[in-house]
Amino acid sequence: MKYLCIFVLLFMIFPAQAQEKPSAFCSALSDNGTYKGRYSAYEKLVEGKDNWVFRSKSEFKSSFFADSISKRMLKQFQDALARNGTELVILYPPTRGMMHAEAAQFPERDKAWEEYQKTIRELDEDGIHVIGMARPPAGTSFFYKRDHHWNVVGAKAAAQAIASKITLMDVYPVLAKKTFETKRLPQMNYEGTFSKVLKDVCKTTLPPEAVVPEETVPAEGATTEEDLFGDSAEPEVVLVGTSNSTPQVYANFDGALRQALSADVLNVSVAGAGVDNPMLAYLNSDHYRDKKARLIIWEVPGYYNFNALRRFLRQATPEATGVCEKPVTQVKGPLVEGEPIMKDLEGFNIAGGEYYLALTFAKPVKNDFKIKFSFPDKEDVYAMSYEERTGALDTYFVSLRNKHKVYLEDITLEGVDENTVLVAICKMPPKVKKEQPKEKT
């Protein structure tokens, strides 16, 4: 009895110490050096309320904008896809800090929402099909607490936001329709990405989150016109995204899209490959080249800056256009390191962003390489990156810079292993009035 009284007395004197849980965080998470290399995308992990964890650099951003150059380039990309018969819709969800400000120390959240909504509005006014999310009431579920991905609830909300716009577009009536249904799967414990970082850096763990995954399948008896005639067509809707859109995060985003749109979806999203590489890989696919995609949904997380996509758009817009039938000039031959693959181009008067380079290799290129454009007054070196997650490509595109007003002289490829290449210089086709898609009968 005496010891019990002593314990109760100690508990009364030190109640906070008796109930406080030890933090899983360590001092290394405050060190900038921790986030160099493999953990650069996690800078800096900070504790929120109720066991929330945030990446302060990317998830507490308050600046959202796209300048006139970026808007023009995004519109050019959208138009290039449209010439191939494909509509583009960009999903640009808010950051975790914005959606869950009640759990974060994020004093600039109001400014972030104002800037975010302004950017969405301006892009839309410029004719770019971009979809954002409305500011939710406090406590609304959307993202995981200890993982940077959205959860099932967030994925459904994003799919509904997309459907509310796409169903009003001219492309929607022509999509092959199919009915889907969603089923709940057994509850499981989900260990978030942040826990893996803490295990490695701090040798501690974060508690897993209990989640109820979902699975979306064709409804019983659901058929399309193609199914009735025994010719099951490939999906006309393509999802190109980050790890948010992959099955590994148990959010079922592609399934939510199928049900919201009543249309099948080809998911070509790749985890850890950014927003650019999955798109470049898809544009290199037979599915795109054969004009099977009527609609591309491009998932771009809110922590990305549209101005940072310019380099990608120098590749993506000509790639969406494809190899031209009547090039300005072309040459085919084996590569010789250090020697121009094209030279004496002055007489073709090639200058400015309306021209682009198309490279078709005999063998896929499995390494980084450089393209050197030589002008009388300077050189423009463009670095092509190989992304292992999306695989080697055999065709590469890049447009010339708009700022060069003098004519191109030579082109040299550096760093390509023994290979043969067809090099073509193309000119962007003129803008044409888009025909309204014909509804299936």
Side-chain angles (χ1 to χ4, degrees), residues 296-330:
I296 291 178
I297 298 170
W298 187 22
E299 177 242 323
V300 180
Y303 49 81
Y304 276 88
N305 186 333
F306 282 114
N307 288 351
L309 297 179
R310 290 183 195 170
R311 185 183 181 280
F312 154 76
L313 292 168
R314 278 189 68 187
Q315 287 184 243
T317 299
E319 188 167 349
T321 304
V323 180
C324 53
E325 294 182 0
K326 297 180 180 180
V328 176
T329 183
Q330 68 177 7

Side-chain angles (χ1 to χ4, degrees), residues 36 99 139 263 286 310 344:
K36 292 179 180 179
M99 295 297 279
D286 290 338
R310 290 183 195 170
D344 302 325

Side-chain angles (χ1 to χ4, degrees), residues 50-261:
D50 301 324
N51 284 322
W52 276 84
V53 179
F54 293 91
R55 299 177 298 174
S56 58
K57 183 176 181 179
S58 58
E59 294 173 352
F60 294 165
K61 64 176 283 189
S62 59
S63 178
F64 295 85
F65 57 88
D67 63 21
S68 58
I69 296 174
S70 299
K71 291 175 185 175
R72 173 177 55 80
M73 294 181 75
L74 281 168
K75 187 63 166 62
Q76 288 172 341
F77 178 45
Q78 181 176 290
D79 291 344
L81 290 168
R83 284 194 295 268
N84 193 63
T86 305
E87 291 288 353
L88 173 69
V89 170
I90 303 171
L91 172 66
Y92 192 55
T95 66
R96 291 175 73 246
M98 293 165 63
M99 295 297 279
H100 301 287
E102 73 281 355
Q105 298 297 323
F106 184 26
E108 293 191 315
R109 59 183 179 271
D110 290 338
K111 177 189 174 185
W113 274 106
E114 290 173 6
E115 292 287 324
Y116 170 79
Q117 291 167 342
K118 179 183 176 184
T119 299
I120 298 291
R121 185 171 59 254
E122 290 179 348
L123 290 168
D124 184 69
E125 289 171 352
D126 282 1
I128 299 165
H129 302 148
V130 61
I131 299 170
M133 305 289 296
R135 185 170 185 171
T140 301
S141 179
F142 194 89
F143 287 102
Y144 286 116
K145 297 174 71 172
R146 293 175 287 282
D147 184 280
H148 64 279
H149 301 102
W150 53 33
N151 56 28
V152 169
V153 177
K156 279 185 180 179
Q160 289 297 330
I162 290 173
S164 67
K165 183 177 181 73
I166 290 175
T167 51
L168 300 177
M169 295 174 64
D170 293 331
V171 69
Y172 185 70
V174 305
L175 296 176
K177 303 300 190 298
K178 195 169 188 175
T179 306
F180 291 86
E181 60 184 15
T182 298
K183 303 175 181 179
R184 287 192 163 195
L185 301 177
Q187 181 174 303
M188 58 171 286
N189 285 332
Y190 178 65
E191 182 181 67
T193 50
F194 301 152
S195 183
K196 297 172 185 177
V197 177
L198 264 69
K199 277 184 181 180
D200 186 35
V201 176
C202 300
K203 311 305 178 187
T204 58
T205 59
L206 292 169
E209 295 185 58
V211 299
V212 180
E214 294 184 348
E215 179 183 35
T216 301
V217 297
E220 187 175 350
T223 58
T224 62
E225 289 182 10
E226 289 80 5
D227 294 331
L228 292 173
F229 293 99
D231 183 21
S232 184
E234 295 185 60
E236 298 171 328
V237 181
V238 179
L239 171 60
V240 183
T242 66
S243 50
N244 266 324
S245 299
T246 62
Q248 292 96 313
V249 300
Y250 301 101
N252 191 41
F253 180 50
D254 53 357
L257 281 175
R258 291 184 181 99
Q259 186 156 11
L261 295 173

